[in-house]
């Protein structure tokens, strides 16, 4: 795949898969938690809503390098996006990315304890696989014909914007 195809595929997979795993740096280690990501390719950003009381905001303040990991085991597709994060109180953006289900956690986009984490992607890696039916057919062809097949295509890009 060309870089532009890889970039398109990364944004497409990230946009369709929710929740994802959000990785922050925690001292010398990492902290991983599930979040709901709002992927906005046209803005070059991924948004995550958070409570102001969570430790992830302190971790972002200490080290803005974060990762978002998306997976679809049925399609054998995986994406990891690395970027820089910033958290702020932004009711306007919260309203823009708000989903009905967010009321469960935050009551309203105007909640004073609500923070919008903006992740600006820097690099990403893609593992683009076939669905299980196609993978099975590839394995069968490999066994019957002796042909080597590639079940998952791996690619890395150092930018997600054209």
């Amino acid at each position: 795949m060309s870089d532009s195809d890889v970039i398109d595929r990364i944004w497409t997979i990230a946009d369709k898969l929710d929740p994802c795993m959000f990785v922050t740096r925690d001292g010398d280690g990492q902290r991983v938690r599930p979040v709901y990501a709002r992927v906005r390719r046209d803005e070059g950003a991924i948004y995550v809503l958070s409570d102001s009381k969570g430790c992830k905001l302190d971790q972002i303040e200490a080290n803005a390098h974060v990762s978002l990991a998306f997976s679809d085991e049925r399609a054998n597709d995986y994406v990891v996006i690395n970027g820089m994060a910033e958290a702020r109180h932004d009711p306007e953006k919260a309203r823009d990315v708000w989903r009905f289900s967010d009321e469960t956690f935050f009551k309203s986009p105007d909640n004073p304890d609500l923070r919008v984490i903006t992740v600006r992607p820097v690099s990403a890696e893609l593992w683009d696989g076939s669905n299980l039916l196609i993978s099975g057919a590839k394995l069968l062809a490999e066994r019957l014909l002796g042909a080597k097949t590639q079940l998952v295509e791996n690619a890395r890009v150092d930018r997600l914007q054209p």
Side-chain angles (χ1 to χ4, degrees), residues 6 21 24 33 42 54 57 79 101 112 115 124 143 151 154 157:
V6 171
M21 300 305 287
T24 55
R33 64 198 42 92
D42 60 324
L57 301 182
V79 165
S101 59
R115 298 296 179 267
R143 291 220 171 116
L151 297 180
N154 176 247
V157 292

Side-chain angles (χ1 to χ4, degrees), residues 28-151:
D28 290 335
Q30 298 176 329
R31 178 83 188 271
V32 182
R33 64 198 42 92
V35 298
Y36 293 97
R38 280 61 181 212
V39 176
R40 298 286 175 90
R41 182 179 185 174
D42 60 324
E43 297 174 30
I46 300 169
Y47 300 98
V48 174
L49 298 180
S50 177
D51 188 288
S52 65
K53 296 173 181 75
C55 63
K56 72 174 94 49
L57 301 182
D58 293 334
Q59 293 162 352
I60 290 169
E61 179 85 20
N63 187 337
H65 294 273
V66 300
S67 298
L68 295 159
F70 302 85
S71 69
D72 181 352
E73 64 279 354
R74 289 184 192 165
N76 208 19
D77 292 332
Y78 305 90
V79 165
V80 175
I81 296 174
N82 304 301
M84 302 299 290
E86 174 189 31
R88 60 193 166 105
H89 180 67
D90 186 346
E92 184 177 330
K93 181 48 80 175
R95 279 190 291 281
D96 180 42
V97 300
W98 190 259
R99 295 180 185 156
F100 177 74
S101 59
D102 294 329
E103 289 181 17
T104 304
F105 303 105
F106 307 111
K107 304 296 181 220
S108 152
D110 297 311
N111 181 334
D113 291 326
L114 178 64
R115 298 296 179 267
V116 177
I117 300 171
T118 304
V119 177
R120 299 282 176 198
V122 174
S123 63
E125 192 160 5
L126 165 71
W127 294 266
D128 191 3
S130 304
N131 68 38
L132 294 179
L133 181 62
I134 293 172
S135 294
K138 286 180 177 180
L139 285 173
L140 182 60
E142 185 172 294
R143 291 220 171 116
L144 292 176
L145 304 174
K148 282 290 185 191
T149 61
Q150 185 173 345
L151 297 180

